[in-house]
Amino acid sequence: RNLCRNNRFTFMSIRHNKLEGGDSLIQVYTGNGKGKTTAALGLALRAAGAGLKIFIGQFVKGRDYGELKALKKVKNIKIEQFGRGCFIKKKPDKKDVELAKNGLEKLKEIISRRIYDMVILDEINVALNLNLLELKDVIGLIKNTPKKTELILTGRYAHPDILKLADLVSEINEVKHYFSKGIKARKRKEY
């Protein structure tokens, strides 16, 4: 059933393990604020709760983040990283390009097999901005995604051509961030 429908908003419903409401959508979460990956993971958890199968490909990332541990416990979410164990602060090297290109090829294959109802390309906008991938290849992936596969793209610096292809674009802007006070990401202590 539809969750909400009025003149301004239409929300897609999830029922019988398939997306209803017409063709699947291309969603982009971008901007300089914190929460883009978190928004995509929220969509993944919501879809998993409805019985859909989700694949998450993380570009640029290669470390063991807290979300990986949690998501590995959800049976219908598969996650794979296509980056090294460090954040790219300088010019990417050949290994970074190789990992990203291999990741994109893997995602093309996964999408073409039509096993997953939702595919999340986490930080793909950053991978494009760092020239790890070519825009034409990502656009090709988007255009060749089957109509029944929901596609989510995250990361800062979303290219205008990607935004044009999207059905939904959310720009998450930083208003205030603890990082500007010198506070780095914190790891919770075990109790």
Side-chain angles (χ1 to χ4, degrees), residues 1-67:
R1 68 179 174 66
N2 281 339
L3 301 173
C4 177
R5 181 171 273 166
N6 63 33
N7 293 340
R8 292 182 54 208
F9 299 102
T10 302
F11 292 91
M12 184 179 345
S13 67
I14 301 173
R15 191 171 86 187
H16 303 300
N17 297 342
K18 296 293 166 196
L19 293 165
E20 292 185 344
D23 295 336
S24 297
L25 303 173
I26 311 295
Q27 300 181 39
V28 175
Y29 294 87
T30 192
N32 70 342
K34 183 177 178 350
K36 299 170 290 293
T37 295
T38 305
L41 297 181
L43 291 169
L45 287 172
R46 179 178 171 206
L52 285 107
K53 292 183 75 175
I54 301 96
F55 187 91
I56 303 170
Q58 290 190 316
F59 290 88
V60 183
K61 296 178 179 177
R63 292 188 354 217
D64 191 21
Y65 295 96
E67 66 248 25

Side-chain angles (χ1 to χ4, degrees), residues 86-140:
C86 63
F87 186 79
I88 303 168
K89 293 183 180 177
K90 297 181 182 176
K91 185 178 177 194
D93 66 23
K94 290 179 184 179
K95 183 68 175 171
D96 297 314
V97 173
E98 179 185 331
L99 287 167
K101 286 185 176 185
N102 289 344
L104 190 66
E105 287 306 311
K106 180 161 192 169
L107 284 162
K108 284 180 186 177
E109 180 206 333
I110 284 167
I111 289 170
S112 72
R113 290 182 11 219
R114 300 172 188 242
I115 344 179
Y116 294 96
D117 302 293
M118 178 182 285
V119 176
I120 297 173
L121 304 127
D122 187 37
E123 302 293 0
I124 194 156
N125 295 327
V126 174
L128 277 168
N129 187 62
L130 291 171
N131 295 313
L132 301 177
L133 300 169
E134 294 197 31
L135 180 62
K136 67 179 177 61
D137 295 332
V138 176
I139 287 174

Side-chain angles (χ1 to χ4, degrees), residues 22 36 41 84 141 184:
K36 299 170 290 293
L41 297 181
R84 294 186 295 150
L141 177 137
K184 296 182 180 180

